[in-house]
Amino acid sequence: MNYFIDVIVPVSLPKPFTYIVSKEEFDFLVIGHRVIVPFGKSKLYTSVVVKKHELYPSSYKPKKIEFIFEEKPLVTEDQIKIWNWISDYYLCNIGDVMRASLPSGLFFSSETVFKNKSVEKSIINSFSDDEFIIYEALQKKELRLNQINKILFKKKSMPILNQMISKGYIESQIELINKYNPRYVKYYKLNDIYISKKKSNKIIGELSRYPKQKNIIEFILKSNIDEKSWINSSLLKKKSGAGLSSIKSLIGKGIIKEKYFQKDRVIFSDIQKKQKIKLSKPQLKCLIQINKKFRKKNIVLLKGVTSSGKTEIYNELINDKLNQKKQILYLVPEISITSQMIYRLQNRFGDRVIVYHSKYSNNERVEMWKLINENNKKAQIILGARSSILLPFRELGLIIVDEEHDNSFKQFDPSPRYNARDLAVYMGHCFSIKVLLGSATPSIESFYNTKKGKYEYVELLERYGGVRMPKISCIDLKRSYSENKMTGFFSKELLDEINYNLKKNKQIILFQNRRGYSPILECVKCGNIPQCINCDVSLTYHQYNNEMKCHYCGYKLVKPTKCDSCGFNDLNSKGVGTQQIQEQIQDFFPKVSVARMDWDTTRGKKSFEKIIKKFVEGEIKILVGTQMVTKGLDFREVGLVGVIKADSLINFPDFRAHERSFQTLIQVAGRSGRSNERGHVIIQTFNPGSVLLKQIIDNDFQGMYDNEINERTKYLYPPFNRLIKITLKSKDYSIVDSGSVWMVNCLRQYLKNKILGPVSPEISKIRNLFLKQILVKYYDTGDRESTKKVISSTIKSFESVSFFRQVRVSIDVDPY
């Protein structure tokens, strides 16, 4: 009898592959085990077992596996179920889902290694120049392909190598490389014979001529190191004042011993737990309601105004689950929030909190993965961004999705293009996990689901401590410009209010949703604007390094001194970015500390934390930022928030522009007045009379919701219809154009009026690839499965046409 396993290979392929195993391997392996399998001609891949069976595959002869990694499975069965759902719902390959879910440190990579075989001298004399160079280099050591390419100064040396292998001059073998490197730390201790007081005193006397060595021994003895204890290398050197040479001398004399211990890179804070904050009456009532609603449904939406104390309610729910020995996932949209949130959670729960996001190294993520997989007590509360929804939970009892409306929960590129909030909702339904969606400005879809009875709903409409909501004012930029009341990009009212708050020792946040110095640089004479050579966009000017940069492909050049088109030497910057706002406000208030928080200033691992810490401690008085400053941050001394220009948000060409503008501006307004004194928000706009701005001033979420629902009912947008965006990319415009027409004609045969397009998007070329987009609208009731089947089969047919093989096709389900 034959035994088989199905494994997912981390390659962009739609299904698992079958391998043959022995009876012993079959009995040992379980779902979730990592195994090394051969795939293709000469590649080895780290794969995950998803099925065991005795059915011989019909279309190919199964290969044997190479070996099994660990005794216990690394991936849970629930995870595999989630992977399959992501693959089916988001129309992506299961191999892509696996690669996105596992840290790259858990994948072994394979490389081909070449070495010499014994060859007669007469044959060596007949070698070509390249063959002789390769053979001579391999005499010294085995080499990899990239090393041979460098020796030959060639990009491709495989044809020569294959020829030498076929003639028997050299041979090749596959070598596995482990991407995860455990961290080892040196420790020292006294040799056992010197532990006694008599022996230690004697050795100290003998070392009187060597003061540094003597200091080492005295420190170890003062530290009460017994025969089982070891002392850290760095601590020993720091406290004794001795160097490595002194330690080595003592090892050579047999007085101390050295040993390496494996240590986690994950550093847990030693913050002591503080007494919990007493809930206010509205908070307590809200908590009771949430627990009551959880008995009815697994999904609850909490709409709580900014600074209402939602975090303390989350903490109470977390505490209940910890008492039940459950794990808790706390999802936040941006890693900028985690630095503040981790401090709060550690204050309440000590070292039971772990943070997981993309700023950590692969080695650190592997170690966190293993702690979570083991349900380690140090990883019971997992605070993380979008990707943490894919971790290997063993006893997950609660998912909190903070700022659930935020589109940062949506993964856009690369595949899989999932939404972490929606995945949390699926997990709640599928595995009976309690899911709390929290926001001051819920998404239209989530709020609609409460109206339809899919989610339960709870409100918290009072700020903690009875603090009043901030006063919101609109400044008419048209009038300010016409009356000469503008200084740079600042109205007189905004500058006066900044000055007033500074005198009161209050802090200010200035919001501008565009990074860089200015969006475009324009020639005064001919109007030419420097463009990216790879994308259909203008270059953004960054003053701090005097560069013009593309925010899509990264192309950059030094700021030109004259126009490339006409040679005129007067270039004028147009538009405004965060750098220019920072420069202007620093000029207006030269003695005030001003900082900026955007993508350019927060690339480093600790950069978010440093800026936020300085702002919280009052070192920074004015903080200029993009949407990073809007997302759930708690600053107690902010008296004023200034929105430099709201129109670019409101007028963005997207069906969710008004919803997102409302959410962003209410959220940024909520950063002010979070202590006893009422805050103030000033919004500069060219259209102060718009209905949306009135709703923002009145904090009228229901009015905004009603307007949006009417619009979306009329034009068949979510939540009434679902969307699937198909994007075609190619270096050849004519091919991508004809391919998009072919696909639309094919789709319309089955889906008819559900198809919109093809169209060129607003940015029609990115990284030298021309883009065409097709939008599919479908009802979410009975149309979902049939529509997706038609799309999948159409794309499969499209990819089989040889003329379209150079066209890349990507699918984005729910592209919003």
Side-chain angles (χ1 to χ4, degrees):
M1 184 179 287
N2 290 323
Y3 300 93
F4 303 95
I5 57 168
D6 287 354
V7 303
I8 302 174
V9 183
V11 179
S12 189
L13 295 168
K15 63 177 184 178
F17 282 80
T18 302
Y19 287 81
I20 192 167
V21 293
S22 66
K23 176 71 166 64
E24 293 76 18
E25 290 170 331
F26 187 84
D27 291 339
F28 175 78
L29 287 168
V30 296
I31 306 303
H33 257 125
R34 278 192 307 167
V35 293
I36 290 286
V37 299
F39 188 80
K41 291 182 179 180
S42 59
K43 281 280 186 181
L44 296 177
Y45 286 98
T46 306
S47 304
V48 173
V49 178
V50 293
K51 189 178 178 183
K52 296 166 65 177
H53 59 90
E54 296 171 11
L55 298 173
Y56 200 97
S58 58
S59 56
Y60 56 90
K61 183 181 178 181
K63 297 177 181 178
K64 293 181 180 180
I65 66 172
E66 289 291 324
F67 67 88
I68 302 165
F69 271 106
E70 51 265 309
E71 291 185 13
K72 293 181 180 179
L74 195 72
V75 177
T76 68
E77 289 193 48
D78 285 350
Q79 267 186 294
I80 292 167
K81 190 172 183 180
I82 291 166
W83 291 0
N84 285 318
W85 182 82
I86 292 172
S87 176
D88 292 340
Y89 184 84
Y90 290 103
L91 297 178
C92 57
N93 292 324
I94 190 72
D96 291 333
V97 181
M98 174 191 169
R99 183 165 282 283
S101 300
L102 299 179
S104 60
L106 293 176
F107 292 100
F108 274 60
S109 61
S110 64
E111 279 198 67
T112 306
V113 177
F114 301 91
K115 58 182 179 180
N116 273 351
K117 293 177 76 174
S118 57
V119 178
E120 293 180 10
K121 192 173 182 180
S122 59
I123 296 176
I124 294 174
N125 292 335
S126 67
F127 281 172
S128 68
D129 290 344
D130 287 340
E131 288 175 337
F132 185 79
I133 291 169
I134 292 170
Y135 193 82
E136 279 289 300
L138 291 175
Q139 290 282 79
K140 298 176 182 176
K141 61 177 182 177
E142 297 175 353
L143 295 172
R144 295 185 176 89
L145 180 60
N146 64 329
Q147 293 171 315
I148 293 172
N149 287 340
K150 287 180 181 177
I151 291 168
L152 294 181
F153 298 102
K154 292 179 183 285
K155 289 185 178 179
K156 294 180 181 179
S157 54
M158 271 311 294
I160 303 166
L161 292 165
N162 286 333
Q163 196 173 22
M164 293 179 76
I165 291 168
S166 64
K167 291 177 180 178
Y169 302 156
I170 62 173
E171 61 183 355
S172 65
Q173 62 185 42
I174 297 173
E175 185 179 275
L176 285 173
I177 301 168
N178 189 355
K179 291 183 180 179
Y180 169 64
N181 297 308
R183 177 182 173 227
Y184 289 96
V185 178
K186 278 191 289 190
Y187 279 76
Y188 302 102
K189 63 175 277 192
L190 274 179
N191 220 317
D192 296 345
I193 61 172
Y194 299 108
I195 293 294
S196 68
K197 191 171 184 180
K198 184 179 178 181
K199 289 278 187 180
S200 60
N201 286 337
K202 183 182 176 184
I203 199 66
I204 287 172
E206 291 174 1
L207 292 173
S208 58
R209 290 184 300 162
Y210 307 100
K212 289 187 177 180
Q213 294 179 28
K214 182 184 172 185
N215 288 345
I216 291 170
I217 304 302
E218 286 178 340
F219 170 71
I220 292 174
L221 291 169
K222 283 178 185 176
S223 302
N224 296 317
I225 303 296
D226 58 29
E227 64 272 11
K228 294 181 180 178
S229 300
W230 294 80
I231 189 164
N232 183 288
S233 170
S234 59
L235 180 65
L236 181 61
K237 284 187 277 188
K238 182 181 177 181
K239 294 294 184 181
S240 67
L244 188 60
S245 59
S246 299
I247 294 172
K248 284 184 176 180
S249 296
L250 289 171
I251 293 170
K253 294 171 183 176
I255 299 171
I256 64 173
K257 294 193 290 187
E258 179 184 75
K259 189 174 181 179
Y260 283 85
F261 288 90
Q262 186 176 335
K263 292 287 180 180
D264 287 342
R265 291 175 175 84
V266 184
I267 299 170
F268 297 95
S269 175
D270 293 328
I271 293 174
Q272 296 295 313
K273 290 194 286 185
K274 294 182 180 178
Q275 191 174 6
K276 67 177 184 178
I277 297 171
K278 187 178 179 181
L279 296 185
S280 65
K281 286 184 180 179
Q283 284 176 313
L284 193 58
K285 182 182 176 183
C286 182
L287 178 63
I288 293 168
Q289 284 183 318
I290 290 170
N291 284 319
K292 186 179 177 181
K293 301 284 188 180
F294 270 144
R295 289 193 282 272
K296 295 180 182 179
K297 284 189 173 66
N298 289 325
I299 318 298
V300 174
L301 173 65
L302 169 60
K303 180 180 179 290
V305 297
T306 56
S307 194
S308 58
K310 295 188 290 293
T311 303
E312 291 307 318
I313 293 171
Y314 299 159
N315 286 347
E316 291 299 320
L317 294 168
I318 289 169
N319 194 56
D320 289 344
K321 291 300 174 185
L322 286 178
N323 292 335
Q324 298 170 32
K325 310 293 185 191
K326 294 288 187 180
Q327 291 174 306
I328 298 95
L329 174 61
Y330 195 138
L331 281 174
V332 292
E334 290 273 4
I335 58 175
S336 58
I337 303 175
T338 59
S339 58
Q340 275 198 331
M341 204 62 71
I342 189 70
Y343 183 77
R344 290 185 196 171
L345 288 171
Q346 286 176 334
N347 272 343
R348 178 73 186 272
F349 303 108
D351 64 355
R352 300 164 90 177
V353 185
I354 198 170
V355 186
Y356 188 91
H357 54 64
S358 59
K359 291 282 184 180
Y360 286 104
S361 69
N362 285 321
N363 287 326
E364 286 171 323
R365 277 185 273 176
V366 168
E367 289 172 7
M368 292 179 197
W369 176 283
K370 290 180 177 178
L371 286 171
I372 295 163
N373 192 33
E374 294 162 3
N375 196 14
N376 191 291
K377 68 177 183 179
K378 289 185 175 181
Q380 284 185 280
I381 304 168
I382 299 95
L383 174 67
R386 176 177 65 228
S387 59
S388 55
I389 193 76
L390 302 170
L391 289 166
F393 306 102
R394 292 287 175 181
E395 291 291 335
L396 188 59
L398 173 67
I399 303 174
I400 296 168
V401 186
D402 196 22
E403 311 295 350
E404 66 84 28
H405 66 276
D406 201 292
N407 70 333
S408 296
F409 286 122
K410 167 72 176 176
Q411 164 77 10
F412 288 102
D413 275 312
S415 179
R417 298 172 178 86
Y418 65 94
N419 188 306
R421 179 202 62 201
D422 296 345
L423 187 50
V425 170
Y426 164 76
M427 290 166 67
H429 287 310
C430 190
F431 306 119
S432 296
I433 297 165
K434 303 303 178 188
V435 179
L436 183 67
L437 309 176
S439 177
T441 53
S443 64
I444 297 292
E445 289 81 11
S446 294
F447 199 68
Y448 178 78
N449 283 334
T450 66
K451 300 287 187 185
K452 302 299 284 185
K454 289 183 179 180
Y455 305 165
E456 290 296 324
Y457 179 64
V458 178
E459 285 184 330
L460 182 59
L461 301 179
E462 185 179 317
R463 279 187 152 192
Y464 185 78
V467 176
R468 289 190 296 168
M469 294 294 289
K471 175 188 173 185
I472 302 178
S473 309
C474 278
I475 303 299
D476 187 347
L477 287 176
K478 282 183 185 176
R479 173 181 283 184
S480 293
Y481 275 111
S482 65
E483 295 178 356
N484 292 322
K485 290 183 179 179
M486 294 294 292
T487 306
F489 297 103
F490 296 85
S491 61
K492 181 181 183 300
E493 293 87 347
L494 180 53
L495 285 175
D496 288 346
E497 197 65 24
I498 292 171
N499 195 42
Y500 173 73
N501 275 272
L502 288 173
K503 285 179 180 177
K504 287 170 59 184
N505 203 29
K506 289 287 185 179
Q507 292 172 301
I508 296 101
I509 289 176
L510 298 175
F511 170 68
Q512 173 64 16
N513 198 33
R514 185 182 286 274
R515 65 188 174 98
Y517 185 81
S518 67
I520 59 173
L521 214 60
E522 184 182 64
C523 175
V524 173
K525 188 173 183 180
C526 71
N528 180 60
I529 297 168
Q531 300 286 313
C532 175
I533 60 171
N534 305 314
C535 309
D536 186 23
V537 292
S538 58
L539 296 173
T540 300
Y541 174 45
H542 289 252
Q543 191 187 41
Y544 74 97
N545 53 5
N546 202 39
E547 280 184 349
M548 303 290 293
K549 190 172 182 179
C550 174
H551 290 171
Y552 287 86
C553 71
Y555 170 76
K556 55 189 176 183
L557 52 83
V558 176
K559 179 192 174 186
T561 55
K562 59 183 181 180
C563 176
D564 289 337
S565 178
C566 69
F568 195 65
N569 61 1
D570 190 359
L571 302 176
N572 186 28
S573 63
K574 285 198 170 185
V576 57
T578 50
Q579 287 180 27
Q580 197 168 174
I581 297 296
Q582 182 186 14
E583 181 188 88
Q584 282 195 7
I585 203 69
Q586 191 71 78
D587 288 342
F588 299 150
F589 302 98
K591 295 181 180 180
V592 175
S593 56
V594 180
R596 177 165 48 91
M597 191 162 80
D598 56 24
W599 193 86
D600 296 311
T601 61
T602 55
R603 295 183 193 180
K605 184 176 175 180
K606 301 277 186 181
S607 49
F608 283 114
E609 192 175 333
K610 288 175 183 175
I611 295 171
I612 290 168
K613 185 182 178 185
K614 285 182 179 180
F615 195 62
V616 169
E617 292 175 353
E619 289 183 43
I620 299 167
K621 285 298 180 184
I622 301 176
L623 182 63
V624 180
T626 57
Q627 284 196 8
M628 290 178 183
V629 300
T630 73
K631 299 183 179 182
L633 296 167
D634 185 19
F635 303 125
R636 310 307 297 177
E637 296 302 318
V638 173
L640 173 69
V641 169
V643 179
I644 303 303
K645 189 179 176 184
D647 304 279
S648 56
L649 270 176
I650 297 169
N651 299 325
F652 194 77
D654 181 78
F655 80 94
R656 294 191 71 174
H658 279 202
E659 176 194 357
R660 286 195 173 139
S661 298
F662 183 91
Q663 290 163 344
T664 300
L665 294 175
I666 288 291
Q667 289 288 340
V668 74
R671 299 318 106 205
S672 71
R674 298 173 77 91
S675 54
N676 293 328
E677 195 169 340
R678 190 184 188 191
H680 191 188
V681 180
I682 293 180
I683 299 174
Q684 297 187 151
T685 175
F686 283 100
N687 188 16
S690 74
V691 173
L692 180 65
L693 282 171
K694 186 178 185 306
Q695 290 164 350
I696 290 167
I697 291 168
D698 296 337
N699 197 15
D700 182 12
F701 176 83
Q702 188 65 50
M704 184 277 295
Y705 172 81
D706 292 339
N707 283 359
E708 286 298 298
I709 283 294
N710 290 336
E711 288 286 312
R712 296 186 192 187
T713 305
K714 184 177 179 181
Y715 295 107
L716 301 178
Y717 275 106
F720 305 103
N721 274 34
R722 292 296 183 104
L723 305 178
I724 298 176
K725 183 169 70 177
I726 304 169
T727 304
L728 293 83
K729 304 175 185 178
S730 176
K731 289 184 177 180
D732 189 321
Y733 177 80
S734 61
I735 292 177
V736 76
D737 185 49
S738 57
S740 62
V741 172
W742 184 97
M743 189 175 287
V744 163
N745 290 336
C746 191
L747 289 169
R748 281 204 174 118
Q749 292 180 32
Y750 303 96
L751 303 179
K752 297 179 181 176
N753 60 349
K754 296 178 184 176
I755 308 299
L756 297 174
V759 296
S760 294
E762 187 180 4
I763 299 169
S764 59
K765 189 177 81 164
I766 297 176
R767 295 185 178 92
N768 283 321
L769 295 172
F770 292 97
L771 278 62
K772 284 285 184 177
Q773 288 180 347
I774 301 162
L775 198 64
V776 182
K777 283 187 180 181
Y778 65 96
Y779 292 108
D780 196 28
T781 48
D783 285 356
R784 182 193 295 180
E785 295 305 319
S786 59
T787 300
K788 288 181 177 180
K789 280 181 182 178
V790 169
I791 291 171
S792 296
S793 60
T794 301
I795 290 173
K796 193 173 181 181
S797 300
F798 178 84
E799 290 172 342
S800 67
V801 178
S802 59
F803 183 70
F804 299 136
R805 277 181 188 163
Q806 65 168 282
V807 179
R808 300 183 204 170
V809 181
S810 64
I811 307 171
D812 192 355
V813 178
D814 302 337
Y816 43 84

